């Protein structure tokens, strides 16, 4: 039976991306690799609509977050961390480990960060040198309006804006240069539609200057050391890169950019997300994120009010559909389904039909034609 992977990372791969990894190995100190690396950099610049090179590490998304902390945060640095879920908390925890003085602002789960809240928090903490934000909070399926948040910050002594874009880049607009992001961290296995294993970091001009004055010792994640090899005429990684993943990443970027302006692909994701949400609500599921403008185009979090959300999740798994559950306080309370890749009408109807069938016992089966069919199927 086919298994359908709807977890928010890793995401299902296209056959082209899967196959790309099987290409013959090339040396990472040769011309072919430099050319591949340059093409990837150029494609990332188109996706991010930003100049400058992106540093690519063999690492998880958490490694990319740690890279930002290692280069911009040291003992005694005043950091303002605005979190609306598990991943905002993680970024804060990493910053704390690097010795930051943290001012924590928490937004209730399922709600987003408003520009007014962020501006007020920065005004109230004029000493803060670094602001930590999450663009797409994957634990609650909240999309935060990063562009508007940064635009609302006071001009004077504006803190460095470090953004966790692990689950946003590739699936929704994220234009760090135009938006005033100073450090952006992302990873290969979500919106970039590539297998797990690559952490990516984009840095603003102001960020590069700050990184050059860094105080915290670090070797592997040292951005200045990375920049030296990245900005050679024939770019390289300082250490051995996972070359096969670079093949896959280039293929995935080609697929996203084949739609022309990245906005076109992002619009398709948003459309699928809206249609999926409409179907869920029509069936009686409740979305965790009440305000539409904060709903993520990359994934949806929902529950079955008055029903057993865990049982729905179990039923889905029995059908060969792999969703994700809640994390931390939301464990056992919500279902999360990602729609980063080719999640179009066939996939929407597959997901909705299965969710309808999975409601089965809690709603009564009368009129539930998909549940009827599923019941017969399960009889063997
Ligand atoms: C997945 C995710 C991470 C962590 O990524 P890993 O690759 O698992 O380390 C961090 N932040 C956000 C927003 C994520 O969705």
């Amino acid at each position: 039976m086919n298994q359908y992977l709807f977890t928010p990372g890793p995401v299902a791969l296209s056959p082209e991306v899967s196959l790309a990894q099987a290409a013959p190995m090339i040396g990472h100190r040769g011309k072919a690799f430099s050319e591949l690396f340059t093409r990837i950099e150029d494609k990332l610049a188109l996706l991010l609509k930003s100049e400058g090179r992106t540093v690519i590490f063999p690492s998880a998304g958490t490694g990319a977050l740690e890279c930002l902390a290692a280069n911009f945060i040291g003992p005694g640095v005043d950091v303002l961390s605005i979190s609306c879920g598990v991943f905002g908390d993680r970024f804060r925890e990493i910053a704390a480990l690097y010795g930051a003085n943290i001012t924590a602002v928490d937004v209730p789960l399922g709600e987003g960060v408003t520009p007014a809240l962020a501006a007020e928090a920065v005004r109230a903490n004029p000493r803060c040198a670094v602001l930590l934000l999450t663009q797409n909070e994957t634990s609650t399926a909240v999309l935060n309006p990063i562009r508007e948040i940064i635009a609302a910050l006071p001009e004077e002594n504006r803190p460095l804006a470090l953004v966790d874009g692990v689950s946003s880049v590739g699936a929704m607009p994220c234009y760090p240069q135009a938006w005033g992001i100073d450090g952006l961290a992302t990873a290969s296995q979500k919106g970039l539609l590539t297998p797990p294993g690559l952490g990516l970091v984009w840095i603003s001009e102001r960020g590069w200057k700050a990184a050059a004055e860094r105080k915290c010792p670090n070797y592997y994640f040292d951005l200045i050391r990375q920049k030296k090899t990245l900005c050679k005429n024939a770019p390289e990684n300082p250490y051995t890169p996972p070359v096969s993943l670079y093949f896959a990443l280039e293929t995935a970027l080609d697929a996203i950019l084949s739609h022309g302006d990245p906005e076109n692909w992002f619009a398709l994701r948003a459309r699928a997300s809206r249609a999926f949400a409409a179907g869920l609500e029509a069936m009686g599921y409740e979305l965790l994120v009440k305000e539409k403008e904060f709903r993520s185009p990359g994934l949806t979090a929902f529950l079955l009010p008055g029903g057993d959300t865990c049982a729905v999740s179990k039923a889905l798994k029995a059908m060969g559909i792999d969703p994700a559950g809640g994390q931390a306080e939301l464990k056992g309370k919500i279902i999360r389904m990602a729609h980063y890749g080719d999640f179009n009408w066939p996939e929407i109807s597959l997901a909705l039909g299965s969710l309808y069938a999975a409601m089965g016992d809690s709603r009564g089966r009368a009129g539930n034609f998909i549940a009827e069919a599923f019941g017969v199927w399960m009889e063997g």
Side-chain angles (χ1 to χ4, degrees):
M1 187 159 81
N2 272 339
Q3 285 292 125
Y4 292 88
L5 185 63
F6 286 117
T7 53
V11 301
L13 304 177
S14 72
E16 293 78 15
V17 170
S18 291
L19 280 174
Q21 299 171 86
M25 188 48 52
I26 55 174
H28 62 285
R29 298 281 175 238
K31 186 158 174 279
F33 182 76
S34 278
E35 286 171 0
L36 168 69
F37 200 1
T38 304
R39 289 196 305 275
I40 289 176
E41 289 290 332
D42 291 345
K43 287 166 189 175
L44 286 169
L46 288 176
L47 181 70
L48 299 173
K49 299 195 177 185
S50 297
E51 290 158 15
R53 307 281 83 178
T54 303
V55 181
I56 307 179
F57 297 99
S59 96
T62 305
L65 295 177
E66 178 144 10
C67 168
L68 293 181
N71 285 274
F72 299 112
I73 297 170
V77 173
D78 288 292
V79 170
L80 174 64
S81 150
I82 309 183
S83 171
C84 59
V86 166
F87 292 106
D89 292 354
R90 183 181 297 182
F91 205 2
R92 176 183 297 167
E93 207 179 311
I94 296 170
L97 198 70
Y98 278 82
N101 288 330
I102 309 261
T103 302
V105 175
D106 291 310
V107 171
L109 298 179
E111 292 180 24
V113 178
T114 62
L117 178 132
E120 188 43 47
V122 169
R123 257 185 229 108
N125 294 278
R127 281 159 41 102
C128 86
V130 173
L131 170 64
L132 305 183
L133 296 165
T134 313
Q135 185 176 9
N136 188 75
E137 176 50 72
T138 323
S139 64
T140 56
V142 160
L143 169 66
N144 289 310
I146 297 296
R147 176 177 53 173
E148 290 80 1
I149 288 172
I150 296 176
L153 301 180
E155 285 282 321
E156 215 173 305
N157 291 331
R158 186 170 77 76
L160 284 173
L162 304 186
V163 175
D164 175 344
V166 173
S167 63
S168 56
V169 170
M172 53 203 87
C174 182
Y175 306 133
Q177 186 175 26
W179 293 4
I181 294 174
D182 295 299
L184 173 71
T186 190
S188 51
Q189 78 275 22
K190 300 182 186 182
L192 290 174
L193 308 177
T194 300
L198 296 176
L200 299 90
V201 170
W202 183 94
I203 303 295
S204 71
E205 261 183 49
R206 190 160 86 111
W208 281 115
K209 282 195 195 108
E213 293 161 13
R214 61 200 283 280
K215 294 171 197 79
C216 203
N218 188 283
Y219 196 96
Y220 185 73
F221 284 129
D222 182 341
L223 282 170
I224 300 301
R225 215 183 279 270
Q226 291 280 337
K227 197 179 183 189
K228 278 191 197 125
T229 50
L230 182 56
C231 294
K232 280 174 147 180
N233 283 338
E236 291 181 346
N237 287 86
Y239 324 115
T240 314
V243 176
S244 306
L245 287 177
Y246 285 55
F247 294 146
L249 177 60
E250 182 181 35
T251 306
L253 288 168
D254 284 343
I256 293 172
L257 296 170
S258 71
H259 296 264
D261 190 305
E263 289 283 330
N264 297 334
W265 171 249
F266 302 150
L268 287 173
R269 299 298 90 238
R271 174 190 176 198
S273 168
R274 282 193 305 273
F276 186 46
L280 283 172
E281 289 184 319
M283 272 192 276
Y285 286 96
E286 186 180 311
L287 266 68
L288 180 66
V289 184
K290 299 291 172 294
E291 292 188 58
K292 283 190 178 156
E293 77 256 35
F294 289 110
R295 287 181 183 167
S296 167
L299 81 160
T300 303
F302 53 94
L303 54 143
L304 186 58
D308 185 345
T309 303
C310 272
V312 170
S313 192
K314 274 199 198 114
L316 285 181
K317 283 184 190 141
M319 295 174 199
I321 292 184
D322 204 357
Q327 295 166 286
E329 282 163 63
L330 292 171
K331 202 170 168 66
K333 297 188 178 145
I334 57 166
I335 296 172
R336 295 175 302 144
M337 285 178 82
H339 25 83
Y340 284 103
D342 258 326
F343 186 89
N344 297 305
W345 182 252
E347 292 77 19
I348 291 169
S349 53
L350 171 94
L352 289 177
S354 304
L355 281 159
Y356 189 47
M359 286 176 128
D361 291 339
S362 69
R363 291 296 150 124
R365 295 195 162 204
N368 189 340
F369 61 95
I370 293 178
E372 283 301 321
F374 186 66
V376 173
W377 164 255
M378 287 304 279
E379 283 164 19

